[in-house]
Amino acid sequence: MAHVRNPTTTTLGYALFATRWLQAPLYFGLVAAQGVYVYKFFKELWTLILMCVSGHATETYVMLAVLKLVDVVMIANLLIMVIVGGYETFVSRIGLQGHRDQPEWLSHVNSNVLKVKLATAIVGISSVHLLQMFVDVHHTSRHALLWGTVIHMAFIASAAILAYMSGPMVAQADRGHADHAQTGHAQNGKDQAGHAQDDPPRDSAEPGAPVAAPAVPRQPEPDTDTEARIRAAGFPARKLLEDFDQQHPRDFDREAVARLGKAEFVAARRNVVLVGPPGTGKTHLAVALGVRACQAGHRVLFATAAEWAARLTEARAAGRLDAELTALDDHPLLIVDEIGYTPFDAATASLFFRLVAHRYERASLIVTSDRPLGRWDEVFGPSAPAMTDRLAHHADLVRLDGDSYRTRRATSAWAD
């Protein structure tokens, strides 16, 4: 039975959610504070330069002045972390996906990560303050040294406790999302028997074939949370990059595959498009990259294009398409396999457009297809250009060229 929303409750909820913008002026106020620290930094630097030029700067003075500059920089770093990370977490997305200067920490920031980073930054600032006191120990009372040390140890203990507590909370959230996704797949009645048709076995290479390919990064050691994410992803079988026969396709970008094996594209919210004839290993690579994403801590969901069509059609019929698309945001990576094997009607094509448009610059997709994006109008009709434009904007396109390993095996069997 479809869930009927109460319009009044929905309106109140949206109104409450909109109040998050009241925080925006606070972050702009912190930007002004950042400007104050910039002024303070250059004032301290100018004073230090004048003292050194005039010859009045002792070694202790220079050391203390440099520590003051370091202190200002660390506080400025703390401010920018609060400004950017806090705004991204609690107010609105900034939209830096794919930007070459996107901070590394911003791609996986959340409230728990932000709290731990702030705590460690405060410990660093406290360390500089304590070092200043010990450098100028002759002008610092024993009482001040004692309490400075005690306060610094309290900061360290607080940061350690916060980091310890945030680990189990994140792991529990991951397990909850994984169990939810696994239950959803069971209700969909997913048949996993036919998904591995594009997976060439490792031993399918011709004897004596040369091996010249970039080294694939080694997969991390499995743990309980990783295994839960892999099981919940709904892969037809566990395929690894290490098991992919890189000599089977006549041509494909091995360096791109090795780079994608680091799973950094998921954090950057980029897409991956694997294109090639049947039997060249597209599904194998898609699953292997999905496994790597699970090992990197991301939740993944795998299904064929036909299964995604059925899932979205069911959600639309129940009047919960928007809720379904929003629920899929819990998975930073979705894999859509076998696009092109079956053309879709206009209504189903519009559902795929909704999916791609909803995840545009918000989360990642891996798609496999037997035809290039320029021919997707054969599958999706008039909605194809707008869909492929969003899909390819932030995407790595990998073309696999070669014969089907299944056909080759069958031919060899007949020849024998």
Side-chain angles (χ1 to χ4, degrees), residues 314-369:
E314 179 185 351
R316 181 182 58 187
R320 53 178 178 83
L321 179 59
D322 290 337
E324 179 73 7
L325 294 175
T326 301
L328 290 174
D329 289 342
D330 288 340
H331 298 80
L333 176 61
L334 301 183
I335 301 176
V336 184
D337 195 27
E338 300 176 354
I339 287 181
Y341 293 91
T342 304
F344 297 110
D345 57 31
T348 306
S350 69
L351 292 176
F352 275 98
F353 173 78
R354 289 284 302 276
L355 176 65
V356 172
H358 180 82
R359 296 183 70 82
Y360 175 63
E361 294 190 333
R362 180 180 298 179
S364 297
L365 286 166
I366 294 179
V367 299
T368 73
S369 178

Side-chain angles (χ1 to χ4, degrees), residues 41-53 61 65:
F41 178 89
F42 284 103
K43 182 181 178 180
E44 294 284 352
L45 179 62
W46 179 248
T47 303
L48 174 60
I49 293 173
L50 290 180
M51 291 291 289
C52 291
V53 171
Y61 173 83

Side-chain angles (χ1 to χ4, degrees), residues 255-280:
E255 292 184 358
V257 172
R259 183 179 68 254
L260 292 171
K262 300 177 182 178
E264 295 174 352
F265 71 94
V266 182
R269 298 161 189 166
R270 293 179 60 84
N271 301 321
V272 178
V273 181
L274 302 169
V275 179
T280 51

Side-chain angles (χ1 to χ4, degrees), residues 377-409:
D377 58 321
E378 301 170 6
V379 182
F380 297 107
S383 63
M387 184 192 310
T388 57
D389 178 68
R390 289 167 173 78
L391 182 66
H393 183 206
H394 303 299
D396 292 279
L397 279 75
V398 179
R399 170 79 188 187
L400 294 94
D401 189 20
D403 301 323
S404 170
Y405 77 93
R406 290 182 290 271
T407 303
R408 188 181 65 183
R409 282 188 137 189

Side-chain angles (χ1 to χ4, degrees), residues 29-165:
L30 290 178
V31 172
Q34 183 92 317
V36 171
Y37 270 98
V38 171
Y39 169 77
K40 180 177 176 61
F41 178 89
F42 284 103
K43 182 181 178 180
E44 294 284 352
L45 179 62
W46 179 248
T47 303
L48 174 60
I49 293 173
L50 290 180
M51 291 291 289
C52 291
V53 171
S54 63
H56 295 93
T58 64
E59 182 178 354
T60 301
Y61 173 83
V62 172
M63 188 177 299
L64 289 173
V66 171
L67 287 175
K68 286 182 180 179
L69 296 177
V70 172
D71 187 28
V72 171
V73 171
M74 294 186 69
I75 294 177
N77 290 341
L78 177 61
L79 275 174
I80 199 66
M81 194 179 300
V82 173
I83 293 169
V84 179
Y87 187 91
E88 171 91 4
T89 303
F90 301 108
V91 179
S92 178
R93 293 185 183 275
I94 299 178
L96 293 177
Q97 295 81 10
H99 195 287
R100 64 178 183 178
D101 294 328
Q102 178 184 359
E104 180 274 334
W105 52 268
L106 185 60
S107 62
H108 53 266
V109 72
N110 55 45
S111 57
N112 284 324
V113 173
L114 190 59
K115 286 186 289 187
V116 173
K117 287 185 176 292
L118 293 180
T120 54
I122 291 173
V123 170
I125 295 171
S126 175
S127 301
V128 174
H129 283 179
L130 190 61
L131 181 58
Q132 285 178 300
M133 296 172 67
F134 277 101
V135 169
D136 197 24
V137 67
H138 298 295
H139 299 88
T140 306
S141 66
R142 298 180 64 181
H143 179 79
L145 283 175
L146 174 62
W147 280 107
T149 303
V150 170
I151 292 172
H152 179 64
M153 296 304 297
F155 282 145
I156 293 177
S158 300
I161 293 173
L162 188 59
Y164 175 79
M165 292 177 62

Side-chain angles (χ1 to χ4, degrees), residues 226-243:
T226 296
E227 290 301 317
R229 286 190 291 270
I230 292 175
R231 289 194 300 271
F235 298 125
R238 183 174 302 200
K239 301 292 183 179
L240 305 178
L241 286 180
E242 293 83 354
D243 297 331

